[in-house]
Amino acid sequence: MAAAEFRSENIYAFALEPRKTVPLFRGWNRLECRPRIPDFERSLKAEVRDPLWFLTRQWQYGEFQGEDAASPIDISLGVRSAPLATLRIGSTDVAYDPSTPLETRVEREAVPFDMTLIMQGSRVFALALGPAPFDKLLPKVISHFALTSIPGEATADATRLRLAGAAFLLDIAALVTSIRSATFGTVVDEITKIAAEVTALGAAADALIDWHGRVYGLPRTEPSAWQTNRLSYQFECATAPGPDVVSLIANQYGGGKLDWYNFDAKPPAPAAGPAFDAATLSFLPAGIEFAGMPSIRYWEMENGRTEFAHIDANTNDAAKLLLAEFMLLFSNDWCVVPLNLNIGDFSRVDGLLVTDVFDDQTWVRSANRGAGADWHHWSMFLLSGDDSESPGLFLAPATTATIEAPPLEEVAFIRDEMANMVWAIEKRVASDLGQGVPLASADSNAAAAPSQAPQTRYLLGTSVPDYWRPFLPVHTPGSLRSIRLQRARLPGPLNEPKAEILRENNPYFIEEEEIPRAGRLVERAFQRSRWQDGEPFLWIGRNSQVGRGEGSSGLVCDHILEKGERNID
Amino acid sequence: MGCFGRTCSGMPEALPATGTELSDVQIAIWSNQAVVVQSLIAKRLETAKQLRSPFVDPLPTTEPELTLETPRRISVSLQRATDAARQLLDKPFVIVPLFQFHKPAQVAELSLAGAGPGIARASQVQDWMDSLSRVRPAVADAAWAIAVSSCMGAPIAEPIAIQLPRNAKAPWIGGKFTTPLPEGGWLAVISLQSALGFNGLQCGLVLDDWTENVPIDKATTGVSFHFNRLNAIAPQALLLAVPPAIRGHWDWEELKGCVHEAFDLAKLRAIEPDSLTTNGYFVGLPAILSEFSVNQFAHTLLTERSAAAAVLIKT
């Protein structure tokens, strides 16, 4: 119908000619607003056209509903803290040293005197000896400490570098041992009798020992924290004896990042001594804020990247629904107060005294009040075994960012269900240059190469590469059911493991549960980190993690190969 | 033999393929190989020459075309020069740009050697490299190169460290701090210095870079607690109450009346169209409903005017 027909003269013409009656069937459509342009910019500006509309929306959302509640206005917080005082590795108690990161102290292993260390130490010694006239002493020292064997898998690079640096490379291992055991003086006597030269050699020796301590750390005095049967570190640290003393046990620290979750708390028997330092702190309360938290202001837009309203939850996802409800409805009932704590301290929050705007005071206690709580609780940052009514928070004195070198050693423990045993495969071992080098074909989980049998024949047994080390199940002492794994060896000449991880005294047992179905991968690598005063720490540590699945050695014994059958599948 | 020299210039084909002894046959083979290599070189030279041909179009004389065209030509020339060099010396060839410090004296000041003995000893830089060479393979390679270079007759100078930003009171950031480290980000550059120092033309390759974080000794934790706060929120509109009659003072009942009236008006705005359909007003309200019928007056908007028209139709 043309638009012109809607003009008013048409309407009047129709009205004035009543004989042209048309049956009138009328209906009514409700008019709905609909945006006619895709640009919402102006709408989102929320321009105020009608201030009463704001009140309307607030009334609709119940924001004017009176409640029997009050806003907090002041918070007093009682906190007790104490630093770590002792460290126990094995059965040895040592004083905790806050100037060293905890994981460095726990993990540190002796650094082998490989070619890189030899080169560095030789340079330090040569530079400390200085230029002429004392440089002529260096060949004499080299003649006494000539480079012989170097630990690690031999590489062509190391051989070439050894030739290139023959003029200054020393047997630093022997030299350091000689200096530390005070036999270097005898060597110096053989080299020279001139007082100035003796002094120069002594100063160079001191410089070398200082450098070795600065860069590679002092020799470890406490026993190793690595549990060979658990493939993880185990240690314990505690606060000073007193009524509040707490012992923190790290049972299954596999290396890598050390944090609160590696520790379990064990309150030992209270002993005589000072209590934790207590402090009462006063704060103004502030509401919590988190990504996606509903905003209470009409014109504030929430961050669209986190939208709890779009949680995809089924009706049986009760936990997810409860969390969403908690986030969406009750987030404004939570307050937070900042608490500055020293790294390395164990702290307990006794409670908070909240004063509201009506001057009423409420004592807020922890929801996790120890083992006496009659419901199963879970909480972030809560240490297992900490049954105190005032739960503690432990800030582990660990490094934040560690530079980790490519692994020096890599040993994969895999389950071989066909052969019913566990294999430890030396995938990567330390070279004489101080770097990790892969052993031949170690990346393949299938060890022996299959061959086509021309006809039926008897196979006494297949062989596996010598870097596959078998671990056999044996009974745990005193038990007929539980088993553990014992290192064994295949028939043939004795072949010692090259990886330090496997170089343990016989018999070497590993608990069966430590090798899951997916296997376990243990690495040994140089790590470097800085500590609070900027001091760099360099150490060799291990990292134990879940492996990449089962493997098969293809080991079979006493087997008849049919014609055309591949001997190993 | 000349072919040997070519192998170092990105032409492995020039390496004599066979023969260890000098004989007429072998000389003939090498001669043929040299001819092939020569033709390859000629082909590469020709390609490179084409790439190095100058721009034939004259530069524009007017702005801003001139300002836009000049850097474009520099960029294109640089790319063509790189391509030409790669044609001649094979694909892995890299052009390392030369540059010059505007104020070499200032850069020299930035180095720890120039900052005086208070900040760092040379041995600290050495310790830093020794320690890092165990975790960064590229640093290890550099350390080996420095160590062995003197034995090979081409010694590389001892590395120097430059620390940015320049702050005479800041300690050397690579080692244990002798004084507290000012907050912020710091950059340390270990430079394997050339004999020229910071004067003259320079060029360099970045061998490795990494980030070191120094942890703090305190952490700000948070204690969160539940406290049932009010859900009521202050009105998001300001009510300006005006008394019906100015008497010089407020009357409590009048104030209450203002508030109640404001809320009554607010609640009126909450009426939904569905609420209107239950009473008789909705047909008379403007811009709520639209009439439609099968006749020519279909889709008449029920505004005040169309309502009048509807009345006319009825009469």
Side-chain angles (χ1 to χ4, degrees), chain A residues 117-412:
Chain A
L117 195 149
I118 286 168
M119 176 271 287
Q120 293 171 347
S122 302
R123 264 175 63 79
V124 168
F125 190 82
L127 288 171
L129 207 53
F134 299 124
D135 58 341
K136 66 174 188 292
L137 295 171
L138 191 59
K140 295 178 182 173
V141 179
I142 291 174
S143 67
H144 279 83
F145 296 99
L147 207 48
T148 53
S149 63
I150 301 166
E153 188 77 354
T155 56
D157 281 351
T159 310
R160 280 194 284 267
L161 289 169
R162 188 173 170 171
L163 285 172
F168 75 99
L169 291 177
L170 288 157
D171 188 351
I172 293 296
L175 184 55
V176 166
T177 309
S178 166
I179 297 167
R180 286 208 169 115
S181 60
T183 57
F184 185 61
T186 318
V187 178
V188 171
D189 284 344
E190 290 175 21
I191 292 172
T192 179
K193 303 286 185 193
I194 303 167
E197 291 182 349
V198 170
T199 310
L201 283 170
D206 290 345
L208 178 67
I209 295 296
D210 284 351
W211 166 84
H212 192 255
R214 281 198 312 271
V215 176
Y216 290 99
L218 296 171
R220 188 184 180 98
T221 51
E222 59 259 28
S224 170
W226 180 256
Q227 300 295 301
T228 54
N229 61 332
R230 293 281 176 198
L231 299 177
S232 61
Y233 292 101
Q234 189 178 58
F235 61 97
E236 192 175 332
C237 40
T239 57
D244 303 322
V245 62
V246 172
S247 182
L248 303 164
I249 303 169
N251 268 330
Q252 293 273 303
Y253 169 53
K257 185 158 176 57
L258 183 66
D259 212 338
W260 62 272
Y261 43 75
N262 294 115
F263 293 91
D264 292 338
K266 184 186 80 176
F276 281 12
D277 290 337
T280 305
L281 308 166
S282 188
F283 299 96
L284 285 174
I288 59 164
E289 285 181 13
F290 52 86
M293 181 174 162
S295 175
I296 57 169
R297 290 287 177 185
Y298 169 69
W299 52 82
E300 266 185 26
M301 296 294 159
E302 291 93 353
N303 184 352
R305 281 179 294 183
T306 313
E307 192 175 358
F308 293 108
H310 272 187
I311 283 182
D312 181 21
N314 292 323
T315 48
N316 56 355
D317 291 341
K320 204 184 275 187
L321 291 167
L322 277 172
L323 178 72
E325 187 180 1
F326 172 77
M327 299 280 191
L328 294 171
L329 296 186
F330 301 111
S331 54
N332 67 330
D333 284 342
W334 286 84
C335 298
V336 64
V337 290
L339 186 58
N340 281 327
L341 297 173
N342 292 326
I343 301 286
D345 276 10
F346 184 85
S347 310
R348 290 195 183 282
V349 175
D350 291 324
L352 304 105
L353 187 66
V354 183
T355 308
D356 64 27
V357 287
F358 296 117
D359 207 18
D360 287 338
Q361 293 191 317
T362 311
W363 179 244
V364 180
R365 299 174 67 191
S366 168
N368 294 309
R369 286 198 288 280
D374 55 354
W375 45 283
H376 293 283
H377 54 258
W378 178 88
S379 173
M380 280 289 279
F381 310 116
L382 184 70
L383 303 184
S384 301
D386 185 17
D387 291 335
S388 167
E389 293 215 340
S390 306
L393 175 69
F394 179 51
L395 295 177
T399 58
T400 50
T402 303
I403 305 176
E404 194 168 319
L408 273 180
E409 287 179 7
E410 197 178 329
V411 176

